[in-house]
Amino acid sequence: MALSSCDKGYKEMNINPDAVTNPTPQFVFSLAEYDGAGAGGHYGSSAADFLLGTMQYTTSYNDVAGWGSKYINSQIQQTYGPFNAAYPDEINELGIVIKTVKSDPTKVNWLAEARIWRVYCFMRQTDLYGDIPYSQAGLGYDSSLLKPVYDAQQSIYTNMLSELDAAAQSLDATKTTFGASDLIYGGNPDQWKKFAYSLMLRLGMRLTKVDIASAQTWVTKAIAGGVILQDADIAKMSYLATGQDINKNPQVLDLWNSDYISQNGVGNVEGGKYADSWISYLQSTNDPRLPIISVVWTGGKPDTTSSKQLGMPQNIPNKQPANFGSYSEPNPATVLGLGSPKLLFTAAESYFLLTEAALRGWYSGASASSLYTLGIQAAMRHWSIVAGSAGTISPAAITTYVNNNVLVSGTLDQQLQQIYTQFWVSIFPDAQEVYNNWRRTGYPALVPNNYPTNATGGQIYRRCLYPISEQTLNTVNYNAAVARQGADALMTRIWWDKQ
Amino acid sequence: MTKFPKALRGILLGFCWLLFLLGQAQPTDRHLKGTVKGPDGSAVAGATVALAADKKTATATDASGSFTLTLPAAYNGPLELEISSVGYETRRVSVQRGQSAITVVMDNNRSSLNEVVVTALGINREKKSLGYAVTTVKGDEFTQARENNIANALTGKVAGVNAAGLSTGPGGSSRVTIRGNGTLGPDNQPLYVVNGMPIDNSVPGGAPTVNGITNNVDRGDGIAGINPDDIESISVLKGGTAAALYGSRAANGVILITTKKGRAQRGVGVEYNSTATLENVAVIPEFQYTYGQGLDGVMPTDINSAQASGRKSWGAPIDGNTNYMAVDTVHHPYTAKKKNLQNFYQTGSTFTNSVALAGGNEKTVYRFSAADLNSNGILPKTTYDRKTLNLTLASKLTDKLSLDALAQYNLETGTNRTGAGDALGNPNWTPLEIANTADVRWLKPGYDVNGNEVKWNDADIASNGYFVINKFQEKDVKNRFIGQASVSYELIKNLVFKGTVSEDYYNYNYYNILPTGTRYVPNGQYSGIKTDVSEFNGMVTGAYKTALTKDIGLSALVGANTRKNQENRLTLNGNNFVVPYFYSASNLSALTTTPYRPRIGTNSIFGSVDLDYKNFLFLTLGGREDWFSTLSPQNNHIFYPSVSGSFVLSDAVRLPEFFSYAKLRGSWAQVGGGAPDPYQINLTFSNVASSGASLLNVTPDPNTGNNVISNPNLKPYTSTTTEGGFELQMLNSRLGIDFTYYNRQTTNDIVNTAVSTTSGYSNVIMNIGKLRNSGVEVLLTGKPVRTANFGWNVSYNIAYNANKVVALAPGLNYIQIASSVNSWATLQQIVGSPFGTLVGTRMTRDAKTGQIVYDRTTHTPVMTSATQVLGNSVAPYTMGLTNDFRYKRFNLSILLDGKFGNKIFSIFELYATRMGKLKSTLPGRANGLELKGIDKSGAPYDTVITQANGVLRNYYDNYKTYSELFLHDGSFIKLRQVVFSYQLPIKNIATVKIQSANISFVARNLLILYRKTTNFDPEQSFTNSNAQGFESIGLPRTRSYGLNLAVKF
């Protein structure tokens, strides 16, 4: 029939000449690592950096940029950011990787590592929001699921923990790896296994308030599996200092672009500085990390002298203070290295969690006080991993500090206070993990900023808000989540953050 | 003489006798002479002058409007002449033998009885034979009071056509919809056709979005490149049957542009047209001037306080205090500054000059025109230039073979087009949101000695408008070529084959630079688009015409068309200028280049048969089959039929004298369509620019950057139109009415809609929905006064379109098509509601008592869910009223138009409320504001909040979360156009052979006679996409006025 030629060549014409049909999974995985570690820090979607303010590391005199430390009502929508960024990026990308490799027995390590990384990414989300789309998330293309249900956080935790277990056990050092496409471990299955059990340790300990028995079960299991204890095993994303933004440390890029690019102490466009509670605490303990991480600008030069450091009060009402230039800010030589690695799970975190496990009697491999000391020592060494010689703290200085900061015996609560105050000092700038442990243990004992027009009645908020678009695009499931969890409000507690 | 043979003498004698006889039969009074003029006194060239009783006896007027009609030798009948010309009312004039030259003044045609109109594929048909409504607008209606974009000038002129210019500056796009929004798909604008062949109307790089930030620029559409001086007429085919022959892309109607042609004449005709207009901001907001700059009742007295409150009017009572310090570090008296808009924006100007040369002989006619348009926008440094060269040729090579060709070259240059949407890089933010005691000019020049942006407020993303004006750089250059050529050959009598090719090609270069020192991107940003777009159409037709019987005539047409649209786009995005203040793509530390090469093909075959009975009953049957490259190969073609008929009652039966003309018409037609964009049936993956590891991701939408769920089963959509109507002419054609009812239903639309990002994607392509548009269009025409010296014509059109989203998909009750900045309001298609429903939030009220529910912690009303239906973004009522007055050499034309019944959500007012600039933020400033209602638990709540600690400011700031507060009725009536012209008495000028000369005062958008939006022009849209109903701090709309001079030699 002559008419059949009326669409001749049309099939070929409708093939995009600038795109491929089949995804190369390792390339998608690399992108998922960048995205999951916080890329996309452009205006409107910066990944939870306001938590630096909430954990009182930083603040700004400016109400808009200072939301994290001021929680003012008018900027409440800033908390939508991480939710909006995660799903179309890392969650969807990992779905593609998993779908592509899951039926290939030679790619068990690829599958396992994608599953572990997916748990890391989902954990960051559910810990901020509580109930979130999980089991049906990222299936818009594969299953035409356009309105995913919100899973209860309890079931998300159950699934994440078993995912970690299953994925860790499926790793096989004899099989092929992601190699250089894995920017965290170069594909090393043994290290991924340690990462998986470390995340299990983190998630397990998260349950102490809501389900102490499960917490013990998973913490014990994680320790048995083997967690990160050596500096060489730290889970860290590696970055480049130049080139495309996606290859740069996203948190540094965000700090750099929003405040510290001018490098003179006064040109901070969003009015950001270190907060007074942070700097004064480090000074009060003669912390050798203070000169590593903090500078004041005098005469156009960065000055790391500890006694000259000064944190900015968090209650400055939207007006640049006259002495703005005298406040401390991140040290460009260490904290602000665009090519510096981002530490995702450190040996220090393991040691501090093990310290708590030891106190609870779930771990007897070492004493709580020695684990605590090992944690501080490991944290002191982080800065040389991040910044090389500029971040190196002398062994003598470490020893002096450790000797002055031993774990003092007392009630469990009193010892948790020591651990998680030290955790706050040690894990900087991973404010989100500090925020998680603050909600769980109450430490560090931060004094909330009762700033006028705050949205919380002068309390530190306990969760982030779902983006408003979920109300219109996923109404039924959004409403179900709110009905189960409580009002979509800053002071509503998520499941594991039981009163 | 004797040498001549006898026979020869006989022949000579006979010849002389013959000459004598011929001389006898040709008395001088067989020549009727005269001149035909238009209502403005200008010559009407090419008018047909025929003997009413014997139309074969006819001639045409020459370039000066003169004619000589020679009567047949034996003619003894009545001497009544019928003078007709496209665009004029046909006139009959009685003359006497031997009468000296007569002058016939023609009236502009509004609804001519025997009017010939251009229909689909450029075919001329008698209007009375058409079974559907078609409206023709003459080209000269666009050449006096000009719009840079010709499509904007259609507003108010045609019933059912909703045309609106955007408030994006002098080179902006237009948005035209005909009979409402007919599709849930992305494009509801009509197809633009020049001389029968489609042209491209794309906006390079896509239209701006409602929530866009920097670089959210309207880059101008395709129709903006047409020079009004080249237009003979515009026919509006309103969809359905009228357009069915054009196939899928005509589903939303067709705007058919017929360009001017040359005419056979002696010498060269020259036309010169020059227009100079000025423009100013049309609407000044009504701000509060009771409390000035500051926070919490305190006036700033130092620089840091001034910067903290640069855009905030929450200060002390305005009292002239001289201790007030503004962001320029200078002490000023604390007084109201009411002219910030007037001071920030300048008087814009547009200067247009065009010249056309036309001529030819019996075999070949030509016309060449050149036009130059120079516009300076009201925003300083915003310019738009357009140069147009146009050449048309028509040649009758032999009796059977003829050739037509058109070539047009455009050079369009825009600089510093302004964005809209959010505050970032949007200069229009500054004069609107600056504190009310600060003079915006104090922010000049916006940069310091190093060239860096000067801080003026507490949010660096709210750019200093003068820095944007002076340091941001935007430039775009479009080189466009339109070529058309057609050959037609009459194989046997009445059988004509025609082949046509047309190409609309443009090359486009754009860059937008955020310079070094921009506060929110200190190292700068670069974005660029380099593209070329080609729209090719090739068509062959065969047409046959015959009389089946004495009473039945038949004409038939078959044809085939192939369309190919391709683009080769490179999008460049980079940041960090390595050498500061040096702006080149070579100077970026990171640059990504993204190719996008869409290719779209549509092949079609079509045919139609026209039957007429005794020239009063007409029937047309048509059909077309399309194949689409953008659909799934299993479902890539569709056949659709059409039928239409017309019955001229006044020719069939004898009607009372009162009726001059009566016609009934009806039609039914289907149109099918494919997906507007290619590559939507398969999920693909693309490289992500990286300096390290190789990265791959789902290929994003080239215009929005979103992940889109593709659909392998895409099939054609169908749009079905039923239409009926009548035309009446009464009182000797002094009064006319044209009525149309239509119903259009579109099913299986191909829709790109927002989905929850938790699906992993932001959008999905679906084949869903049923959308209905039904409505009426009424055109009333009258000629209350028609005397030699004074004439008054009036034309009124009104249209009502009821739109309803009948269904989407099972389980799907709404889809989201756009979202404002920060999602403060969204635009949705909701089952049971009209197209484009604005959705947002309200204050929560107790269901029984209506009391507001307050949050005790924040002292603010509790926000409802964000799913409250607020209103419809599309005006269902549109109307236009034209009055033309002619008195001797003066002409006055006044066009009013109006649109009614739509809602607009204002982002500017939302911000102005937060900044304390609106009058609505005054209550409570002096003595506190009492909030009375209930709290979330239902307990009574009664609290007085004051300015202390920013509580009152927070209360008003929080108004942003109740979108209902910023919703306005968008209805308006505007004095859209005034043309007052005077025809110069050129007979007194002997030195130059001028045929006519007109000088006119012209004005567009002169006054808004009625509006409900206090603070902005209701037509404040900045995108020509479906996302209407949002005001979002675009360039203010303007009124323009000036002078026009038109001379014909």
Side-chain angles (χ1 to χ4, degrees):
Chain A
M1 184 71 187
L3 292 183
S4 67
S5 64
C6 282
D7 60 352
K8 196 174 172 205
Y10 274 9
K11 198 175 169 191
E12 294 70 32
M13 189 188 281
N14 205 25
I15 293 171
N16 187 340
D18 298 303
V20 296
T21 313
N22 295 311
T24 309
Q26 61 271 40
F27 297 169
V28 184
F29 184 72
S30 301
L31 182 60
E33 287 191 332
Y34 276 129
D35 286 338
H42 52 84
Y43 170 74
S45 74
S46 73
D49 279 349
F50 52 80
L51 288 169
L52 283 169
T54 311
M55 290 298 103
Q56 302 188 356
Y57 293 121
T58 62
T59 189
S60 168
Y61 66 82
N62 183 306
D63 283 357
V64 176
W67 189 84
S69 64
K70 292 174 168 176
Y71 6 107
I72 52 167
N73 190 50
S74 64
Q75 292 293 321
I76 207 167
Q77 71 272 11
Q78 288 191 19
T79 65
Y80 304 161
F83 190 104
N84 278 331
Y87 288 99
D89 287 347
E90 61 264 24
I91 300 301
N92 193 51
E93 287 147 12
L94 289 165
I96 291 164
V97 175
I98 290 168
K99 179 179 140 190
T100 311
V101 304
K102 74 177 172 196
S103 53
D104 183 349
T106 67
K107 303 267 171 61
V108 288
N109 291 328
W110 299 25
L111 176 62
E113 288 160 24
R115 288 166 75 187
I116 295 164
W117 186 240
R118 194 164 180 267
V119 169
Y120 176 87
C121 296
F122 266 126
M123 176 186 72
R124 305 288 280 192
Q125 296 300 311
T126 185
D127 286 343
L128 286 179
Y129 299 93
D131 296 0
I132 55 168
Y134 178 80
S135 59
Q136 295 184 351
L139 293 173
Y141 179 77
D142 292 336
S143 310
S144 298
L145 265 167
L146 306 181
K147 294 176 179 175
V149 299
Y150 283 60
D151 295 274
Q153 190 176 45
Q154 181 173 11
S155 68
I156 296 170
Y157 258 75
T158 306
N159 188 274
M160 286 195 300
L161 285 160
S162 59
E163 271 290 285
L164 288 173
D165 195 25
Q169 290 186 34
S170 71
L171 286 161
D172 183 344
T174 67
K175 297 278 173 62
T176 179
T177 73
F178 275 123
S181 290
D182 169 19
L183 301 157
I184 298 173
Y185 286 127
N188 186 322
D190 292 335
Q191 288 179 313
W192 270 96
K193 193 170 192 174
K194 288 177 181 156
F195 186 31
Y197 284 114
S198 301
L199 292 174
M200 188 187 289
L201 175 63
R202 182 191 274 185
L203 292 182
M205 199 62 89
R206 199 88 91 219
L207 306 181
T208 53
K209 272 204 294 194
V210 69
D211 183 356
I212 191 87
S214 290
Q216 181 176 359
T217 305
W218 288 106
V219 167
T220 312
K221 193 178 182 76
I223 295 168
V227 300
I228 295 164
L229 295 172
Q230 305 300 318
D231 290 352
D233 292 332
I234 286 176
K236 60 178 192 294
M237 273 292 288
S238 50
Y239 294 102
L240 304 174
T242 58
Q244 300 290 349
D245 281 352
I246 194 160
N247 306 107
K248 296 174 183 160
N249 184 317
Q251 190 172 28
V252 174
L253 188 65
D254 201 19
L255 292 169
W256 184 254
N257 280 338
S258 54
D259 269 318
Y260 305 113
I261 196 167
S262 57
Q263 290 292 294
N264 56 18
V266 291
N268 310 24
V269 291
E270 298 287 4
K273 290 284 183 176
Y274 276 136
D276 54 356
S277 32
W278 172 234
I279 297 300
S280 49
Y281 183 83
L282 294 175
Q283 281 171 330
S284 71
T285 56
N286 291 319
D287 200 310
R289 285 168 286 200
L290 180 56
I292 299 291
I293 62 170
S294 181
V295 298
V296 286
W297 289 85
T298 44
K301 289 199 164 57
D303 187 338
T304 60
T305 310
S306 289
S307 58
K308 290 185 181 168
Q309 304 306 315
L310 181 66
M312 190 163 77
Q314 300 174 87
N315 59 357
I316 298 176
N318 204 39
K319 170 181 164 183
Q320 181 167 313
N323 61 341
F324 183 72
S326 65
Y327 291 121
S328 294
E329 58 182 58
N331 185 346
T334 55
V335 183
L336 296 180
L338 285 165
S340 67
K342 183 173 182 183
L343 309 188
L344 305 171
F345 203 108
T346 60
E349 182 173 349
S350 291
Y351 283 120
F352 289 127
L353 293 172
L354 289 176
T355 308
E356 181 179 349
L359 289 175
R360 293 183 184 278
W362 302 344
Y363 177 62
S364 53
S367 70
S369 59
S370 65
L371 291 163
Y372 179 75
T373 300
L374 286 167
I376 297 173
Q377 289 168 333
M380 295 272 185
R381 291 193 303 272
H382 290 167
W383 288 105
S384 61
I385 295 170
V386 169
S389 58
T392 303
I393 301 168
S394 73
I398 294 175
T399 304
T400 305
Y401 181 86
V402 164
N403 291 339
N404 291 334
N405 291 275
V406 295
L407 185 67
V408 180
S409 58
T411 64
L412 177 64
D413 187 65
Q414 285 168 341
Q415 291 189 302
L416 288 179
Q417 175 163 19
Q418 294 171 63
I419 296 168
Y420 289 101
T421 305
Q422 192 56 241
F423 191 91
W424 174 57
V425 176
S426 297
I427 304 299
F428 171 80
D430 187 352
Q432 188 172 346
E433 206 41 42
V434 174
Y435 177 57
N436 290 332
N437 280 310
W438 170 82
R439 282 182 289 173
R440 183 171 68 83
T441 66
Y443 302 111
L446 300 171
V447 178
N449 182 14
N450 192 7
Y451 188 78
T453 76
N454 69 70
T456 61
Q459 299 302 305
I460 294 176
Y461 58 94
R462 301 201 82 92
R463 67 180 282 278
C464 291
L465 303 184
Y466 298 127
I468 210 160
S469 57
E470 280 294 287
Q471 292 184 33
T472 56
L473 296 176
N474 198 3
T475 315
V476 172
N477 296 316
Y478 168 88
N479 289 339
V482 172
R484 180 172 56 224
Q485 179 169 269
D488 186 11
L490 292 177
M491 293 310 293
T492 299
R493 286 169 180 255
I494 61 175
W495 168 72
W496 59 251
D497 183 20
K498 204 176 126 190
Q499 194 98 39
Chain B
M1 289 295 264
T2 55
K3 284 180 187 171
F4 282 113
K6 255 189 178 172
L8 200 57
R9 285 174 67 188
I11 290 168
L12 269 174
L13 275 171
F15 188 65
C16 288
W17 180 241
L18 187 66
L19 277 178
F20 173 71
L21 284 178
L22 285 172
Q24 286 296 93
Q26 201 171 343
T28 51
D29 60 1
R30 276 180 59 206
H31 298 292
L32 301 174
K33 292 187 175 180
T35 308
V36 180
K37 293 184 168 181
D40 59 351
S42 64
V44 177
T48 303
V49 182
L51 204 52
D54 172 19
K55 288 185 188 163
K56 273 179 254 164
T57 302
T59 185
T61 56
D62 64 13
S64 62
S66 304
F67 67 89
T68 303
L69 182 70
T70 306
L71 297 172
Y75 186 75
N76 256 326
L79 284 183
E80 191 183 23
L81 300 182
E82 184 177 289
I83 301 107
S84 59
S85 180
V86 171
Y88 295 99
E89 290 284 3
T90 298
R91 279 202 67 183
R92 288 192 178 203
V93 181
S94 291
V95 292
Q96 303 296 320
R97 270 181 204 268
Q99 184 178 347
S100 57
I102 58 166
T103 298
V104 183
V105 177
M106 307 284 281
D107 267 343
N108 278 338
N109 176 306
R110 299 270 174 234
S111 58
S112 169
L113 306 188
N114 293 309
E115 186 187 349
V116 172
V117 293
V118 185
T119 65
L121 308 180
I123 297 165
N124 289 317
R125 289 183 65 184
E126 269 193 291
K127 192 176 179 184
K128 70 178 181 184
S129 73
L130 301 177
Y132 46 81
V134 56
T135 308
T136 300
V137 185
K138 276 185 62 193
D140 62 11
E141 294 198 31
F142 305 114
T143 53
Q144 289 181 305
R146 285 162 182 263
E147 285 274 357
N148 287 356
N149 189 323
I150 186 87
N152 297 346
L154 287 170
T155 183
K157 292 201 163 124
V158 182
V161 173
N162 188 343
L166 306 184
S167 50
T168 55
S173 304
S174 60
R175 177 167 172 87
V176 176
T177 54
I178 301 175
R179 292 180 175 172
N181 293 279
T183 167
L184 299 169
D187 191 3
N188 272 296
Q189 295 211 79
L191 176 67
Y192 287 94
V193 168
V194 171
N195 296 339
M197 299 303 276
I199 60 164
D200 178 88
N201 192 37
S202 60
V203 177
T209 58
V210 176
N211 56 357
I213 50 172
T214 312
N215 204 16
N216 193 34
V217 169
D218 173 18
R219 301 181 190 91
D221 56 13
I223 186 63
I226 300 297
N227 171 18
D229 298 290
D230 292 335
I231 296 176
E232 177 73 37
S233 67
I234 291 182
S235 281
V236 180
L237 308 181
K238 295 177 187 172
T241 354
L245 276 184
Y246 279 113
S248 54
R249 288 192 304 152
N252 300 318
V254 177
I255 304 228
L256 271 177
I257 296 168
T258 305
T259 62
K260 287 178 181 164
K261 308 282 191 300
R263 287 201 177 91
Q265 65 178 54
R266 268 171 297 153
V268 178
V270 180
E271 291 181 22
Y272 172 71
N273 194 312
S274 178
T275 310
T277 55
L278 302 174
E279 60 176 334
N280 290 112
V281 176
V283 176
I284 306 296
E286 293 181 13
F287 292 128
Q288 65 88 5
Y289 294 104
T290 313
Y291 294 90
Q293 180 174 348
L295 294 174
D296 307 334
V298 180
M299 178 187 80
T301 54
D302 61 78
I303 179 62
N304 289 343
S305 305
Q307 287 175 344
S309 60
R311 50 175 194 158
K312 289 179 178 158
S313 304
W314 295 108
I318 296 176
D319 59 0
N321 190 326
T322 52
N323 200 28
Y324 165 51
M325 183 178 278
V327 289
D328 58 353
T329 71
V330 176
H331 287 287
H332 299 276
Y334 199 50
T335 55
K337 299 292 180 293
K338 300 184 179 178
K339 298 228 174 248
N340 277 335
L341 256 73
Q342 294 93 322
N343 289 330
F344 188 76
Y345 295 106
Q346 61 183 17
T347 298
S349 62
T350 301
F351 193 37
T352 314
N353 285 290
S354 71
V355 61
L357 311 172
N361 55 34
E362 293 74 23
K363 286 235 182 267
T364 303
V365 292
Y366 65 88
R367 180 178 181 277
F368 171 78
S369 77
D372 183 32
L373 178 154
N374 287 290
S375 244
N376 289 303
I378 56 168
L379 186 70
K381 301 194 181 178
T382 301
T383 65
Y384 173 68
D385 292 337
R386 182 180 72 207
K387 299 183 195 329
T388 319
L389 300 175
N390 181 287
L391 175 67
T392 58
L393 274 177
S395 184
K396 208 161 169 59
L397 297 174
T398 72
D399 284 349
K400 290 177 174 292
L401 187 64
S402 58
L403 183 82
D404 277 282
L406 173 148
Q408 175 166 329
Y409 171 70
N410 279 20
L411 176 59
E412 293 175 61
T413 310
T415 55
N416 297 329
R417 293 180 195 254
T418 170
D422 211 342
L424 294 83
N426 182 352
N428 306 300
W429 230 86
T430 308
L432 286 172
E433 309 294 0
I434 191 172
N436 61 0
T437 48
D439 187 322
V440 71
R441 292 171 295 186
W442 298 342
L443 305 185
K444 277 185 177 180
Y447 56 89
D448 62 18
V449 287
N450 298 316
N452 299 331
E453 182 176 5
V454 173
K455 182 180 176 70
W456 73 280
N457 73 84
D458 61 328
D460 284 292
I461 57 168
S463 301
N464 184 318
Y466 286 107
F467 180 73
V468 176
I469 289 171
N470 290 322
K471 295 291 183 182
F472 276 43
Q473 295 180 22
E474 187 276 343
K475 185 167 189 183
D476 55 85
V477 178
K478 188 197 255 185
N479 276 281
R480 185 175 185 189
F481 172 78
I482 301 175
Q484 300 181 346
S486 74
V487 178
S488 65
Y489 185 70
E490 190 169 22
L491 188 65
I492 55 171
K493 191 167 167 51
N494 288 329
L495 176 61
V496 179
F497 287 96
K498 188 175 178 187
T500 310
V501 291
S502 74
E503 169 73 30
D504 183 354
Y505 172 88
Y506 70 77
N507 175 289
Y508 182 79
N509 275 290
Y510 163 89
Y511 64 76
N512 196 335
I513 290 164
L514 275 62
T516 307
T518 302
R519 289 191 71 87
Y520 73 94
V521 255
N523 288 341
Q525 240 176 44
Y526 178 97
S527 56
I529 299 172
K530 297 179 76 67
T531 191
D532 55 81
V533 174
S534 158
E535 163 85 21
F536 171 82
N537 279 274
M539 183 171 72
V540 288
T541 57
Y544 183 63
K545 199 171 184 178
T546 188
L548 294 178
T549 70
K550 188 167 71 70
D551 292 330
I552 300 177
L554 173 140
S555 57
L557 175 86
V558 293
N561 190 89
T562 183
R563 171 191 181 224
K564 194 168 183 196
N565 184 290
Q566 330 187 53
E567 179 176 4
N568 293 298
R569 188 195 305 178
L570 281 180
T571 305
L572 292 86
N573 281 300
N575 53 39
N576 293 330
F577 291 104
V578 176
V579 177
Y581 314 103
F582 172 62
Y583 306 119
S584 161
S586 70
N587 186 38
L588 295 158
S589 73
L591 176 67
T592 63
T593 305
T594 312
Y596 177 56
R597 292 183 284 168
R599 297 165 300 176
I600 300 170
T602 310
N603 286 330
S604 315
I605 54 173
F606 52 86
S608 75
V609 176
D610 297 328
L611 293 163
D612 72 87
Y613 176 70
K614 283 191 170 172
N615 213 27
F616 64 75
L617 187 61
F618 304 88
L619 180 70
T620 301
L621 301 168
R624 178 166 168 132
E625 176 125 7
D626 285 341
W627 285 260
F628 304 102
S629 72
T630 56
L631 300 180
S632 152
Q634 288 77 41
N635 304 306
N636 71 351
H637 62 105
I638 186 170
F639 173 80
Y640 42 90
S642 67
V643 57
S644 69
S646 134
F647 175 51
V648 184
L649 189 65
S650 52
D651 287 357
V653 298
R654 191 177 174 81
L655 293 175
E657 190 80 347
F658 178 77
F659 293 100
S660 340
Y661 179 71
K663 171 187 156 183
L664 297 169
R665 51 184 150 78
S667 68
W668 178 91
Q670 269 190 344
V671 176
D677 297 312
Y679 317 142
Q680 296 187 323
I681 65 171
N682 294 314
L683 191 70
T684 59
F685 301 86
S686 293
N687 189 267
V688 175
S690 168
S691 305
S694 303
L695 306 175
L696 198 66
N697 200 2
V698 172
T699 308
D701 180 293
N703 292 328
T704 64
N706 290 334
N707 287 357
V708 182
I709 301 173
S710 52
N711 186 333
N713 302 315
L714 282 186
K715 62 185 183 200
Y717 68 83
T718 314
S719 182
T720 309
T721 308
T722 311
E723 174 177 335
F726 63 85
E727 291 159 45
L728 283 177
Q729 293 282 342
M730 292 155 285
L731 294 170
N732 202 19
S733 298
R734 299 276 290 258
L735 183 63
I737 178 166
D738 187 329
F739 175 89
T740 307
Y741 167 81
Y742 62 87
N743 186 330
R744 176 179 171 198
Q745 189 150 300
T746 308
T747 52
N748 292 325
D749 254 325
I750 298 170
V751 180
N752 183 332
T753 178
V755 293
S756 167
T757 53
T758 60
S759 68
Y761 296 80
S762 304
N763 290 71
V764 64
I765 306 279
M766 295 194 283
N767 248 144
I768 55 166
K770 186 188 276 189
L771 181 68
R772 188 168 65 218
N773 282 277
S774 55
V776 292
E777 291 158 358
V778 180
L779 172 66
L780 297 171
T781 50
K783 301 183 182 80
V785 182
R786 189 166 62 180
T787 67
N789 279 336
F790 184 64
W792 175 22
N793 287 354
V794 57
S795 165
Y796 177 71
N797 69 72
I798 184 162
Y800 169 69
N801 181 69
N803 181 302
K804 188 176 180 184
V805 179
V806 179
L808 289 171
L812 189 65
N813 293 319
Y814 62 88
I815 55 177
Q816 182 170 310
I817 52 176
S819 165
S820 81
V821 170
N822 282 330
S823 295
W824 279 315
T826 59
L827 193 64
Q828 301 187 358
Q829 313 291 15
I830 302 175
V831 172
S833 295
F835 180 101
T837 299
L838 286 160
V839 173
T841 53
R842 300 179 191 277
M843 291 182 183
T844 304
R845 289 173 184 275
D846 182 75
K848 281 181 190 151
T849 62
Q851 288 176 295
I852 293 175
V853 180
Y854 288 91
D855 181 326
R856 283 190 184 274
T857 306
T858 58
H859 304 297
T860 57
V862 175
M863 181 182 92
T864 65
S865 78
T867 55
Q868 311 289 309
V869 170
L870 302 176
N872 174 18
S873 67
V874 183
Y877 294 93
T878 53
M879 66 131 208
L881 173 65
T882 306
N883 276 286
D884 287 320
F885 302 96
R886 166 181 58 80
Y887 177 71
K888 293 187 174 172
R889 291 178 175 276
F890 293 97
N891 243 295
L892 174 65
S893 172
I894 299 168
L895 169 65
L896 299 177
D897 79 329
K899 296 175 188 175
F900 308 92
N902 60 313
K903 292 281 192 288
I904 301 170
F905 178 73
S906 172
I907 292 283
F908 142 60
E909 286 196 352
L910 184 150
Y911 278 114
T913 302
R914 302 181 64 189
M915 305 309 156
K917 284 198 80 174
L918 292 190
K919 289 175 179 170
S920 57
T921 65
L922 286 174
R925 297 224 197 180
N927 302 312
L929 181 69
E930 183 179 14
L931 306 178
K932 200 168 180 181
I934 53 174
D935 69 8
K936 286 196 252 186
S937 70
Y941 175 86
D942 190 351
T943 301
V944 175
I945 58 168
T946 65
Q947 298 228 50
N949 290 325
V951 176
L952 184 75
R953 179 157 54 91
N954 173 63
Y955 171 81
Y956 284 117
D957 183 285
N958 199 57
Y959 271 15
K960 68 185 181 223
T961 59
Y962 321 112
S963 17
E964 61 174 338
L965 301 180
F966 308 102
L967 198 73
H968 295 285
D969 188 325
S971 304
F972 68 83
I973 300 173
K974 287 189 177 183
L975 176 54
R976 183 67 75 179
Q977 178 173 304
V978 174
V979 177
F980 182 59
S981 56
Y982 174 67
Q983 190 203 353
L984 298 168
I986 48 164
K987 292 221 169 78
N988 303 333
I989 308 169
T991 47
V992 195
K993 195 190 165 198
I994 297 176
Q995 290 175 21
S996 72
N998 263 290
I999 187 156
S1000 313
F1001 167 80
V1002 296
R1004 294 276 307 168
N1005 306 315
L1006 203 53
L1007 284 173
I1008 308 178
L1009 302 173
Y1010 169 86
R1011 67 180 150 108
K1012 291 280 190 75
T1013 54
T1014 313
N1015 294 317
F1016 56 93
D1017 187 313
E1019 290 187 295
Q1020 191 74 37
S1021 179
F1022 57 93
T1023 171
N1024 68 349
S1025 72
N1026 283 340
Q1028 302 299 307
F1030 295 96
E1031 177 287 322
S1032 198
I1033 317 182
L1035 196 68
R1037 283 185 68 91
T1038 57
R1039 61 172 67 99
S1040 70
Y1041 45 88
L1043 290 175
N1044 169 268
L1045 175 68
V1047 186
K1048 290 182 187 176
F1049 299 92

